[in-house]
Amino acid sequence: MSWVERYGPWALVLGASEGTGREFARQLATEGIPSVLIARREAPLEQLKAEIARDYGVECISAAVDLALGDALERIVAVVGDREVGLLICNAGGDPNGKPFLDVQLAAWLELIQRNVVTTLAVCHHFARSMRVRGRGGILLVNSGACYGGAATMGPYSGSKAFMLGFAEGLWADLQPHGVDVLTLVLGRTDTPEFRRFLADKGMDMPADVWSAEAVARLGLERLPHGPIHNVGQADDQPGMSPQSAAERRARVVAVSRVTAQLYGTGN
């Protein structure tokens, strides 16, 4: 199938205002797929819409939605309307805090969990149901190397990314028999405006081994049919971020899924 046949006619991109989210929307437009662009800030979304229309002749729509609020799903569903979403990209979910757990107000951590975990779970549940019925589609969850373990100042953030890792693997196993692709793309250091702001705040220079947002988005779309996980900068059979390679984790998911299928009679 062509890209439009497999992942069209619309994509939904959460966290589309800058960085990798912006690049996902632009690269999908080259395949003729328009996006529903969602982020907190309206102005960058309007600018991105205009650029995509000018450069590719593709008309996107957008809405400013705070993914850390409890009504985010309802607002996103209202924006999408009756458009058929064949590709969901969850790109939002950074850590704006960067401090030890007890040095941050609880409300800020709860917002992070709402954005990174609850909203992600909710939008996948809503849009994957129609993908399963149609027998095609894709879900791409942008992750971080923090998913493989915690560290100082990263407890809630790494916990939320570990959830995404396990969730994506299970969702891939559930949806693969129904023709729906699922991938969590595990990023290392990526040249995004958010990363540049972090470096500026810390007085640090850009590291030499950083990936461009454009290259990361291209890789994510290329690897989407080969889920459930891909570590940016590593071959499928190469360990690095984790002692297990992506291929080894995939084999584990398949093996465990055979056991759970027998236990619960799912037939997957």
Side-chain angles (χ1 to χ4, degrees):
M1 290 188 287
S2 70
W3 261 86
V4 173
E5 291 171 329
R6 188 167 188 172
Y7 300 122
W10 281 85
L12 171 60
V13 184
L14 307 185
S17 59
E18 63 181 29
T20 51
R22 183 178 186 277
E23 288 299 327
F24 278 122
R26 290 182 61 86
Q27 293 184 32
L28 288 169
T30 67
E31 301 291 340
I33 298 179
S35 296
V36 179
L37 307 170
I38 302 294
R40 283 187 306 166
R41 295 176 295 150
E42 184 174 0
L45 295 177
E46 291 295 325
Q47 180 180 354
L48 178 57
K49 278 198 308 183
E51 290 179 5
I52 290 175
R54 179 196 66 208
D55 296 343
Y56 309 111
V58 172
E59 299 294 333
C60 298
I61 65 169
S62 66
V65 177
D66 188 345
L67 302 177
L69 297 181
D71 65 348
L73 174 62
E74 288 75 13
R75 295 184 62 186
I76 292 168
V77 170
V79 173
V80 172
D82 61 359
R83 296 173 181 85
E84 182 180 311
V85 172
L87 177 59
L88 169 62
I89 299 178
C90 295
N91 178 73
D95 180 6
N97 302 310
K99 295 179 181 179
F101 177 63
L102 295 179
D103 292 351
V104 177
Q105 292 295 316
L106 177 61
W109 292 128
L110 294 177
E111 285 186 0
L112 183 148
I113 297 301
Q114 180 73 35
R115 179 175 57 250
N116 292 12
V117 175
V118 179
T119 297
T120 297
L121 185 76
V123 294
C124 287
H125 189 268
H126 180 86
F127 290 102
R129 295 175 77 177
S130 56
M131 293 180 191
R132 183 176 67 173
V133 171
R134 291 192 298 267
R136 62 178 181 82
I139 297 173
L140 200 163
L141 306 179
V142 179
N143 211 330
S144 162
C147 70
Y148 290 122
T153 76
M154 293 178 61
Y157 176 67
S158 60
S160 72
K161 293 304 181 180
F163 165 83
M164 179 178 284
L165 174 62
F167 172 58
E169 290 178 330
L171 190 61
W172 174 79
D174 282 344
L175 294 180
Q176 187 188 32
H178 302 282
V180 180
D181 299 325
V182 179
L183 175 73
T184 185
L185 183 68
V186 182
L187 275 57
R189 292 186 287 194
T190 307
D191 186 359
T192 64
E194 182 178 0
F195 188 47
R196 286 181 176 268
R197 288 190 291 268
F198 171 82
L199 293 176
D201 182 62
K202 302 298 182 182
M204 300 168 62
D205 295 327
M206 181 67 70
D209 61 347
V210 70
W211 277 63
S212 71
E214 179 181 4
V216 165
R218 183 182 305 111
L219 178 64
L221 295 175
E222 289 174 355
R223 294 300 306 176
L224 177 57
H226 309 290
I229 181 172
H230 184 75
N231 298 310
V232 173
Q234 296 173 202
D236 191 57
D237 61 352
Q238 176 188 5
M241 294 186 188
S242 166
Q244 287 183 309
S245 68
E248 289 170 327
R249 291 192 67 95
R250 184 183 304 110
R252 174 205 161 274
V253 174
V254 171
V256 175
S257 296
R258 291 195 187 103
V259 175
T260 57
Q262 293 173 349
L263 287 174
Y264 301 114
T266 61
N268 286 352

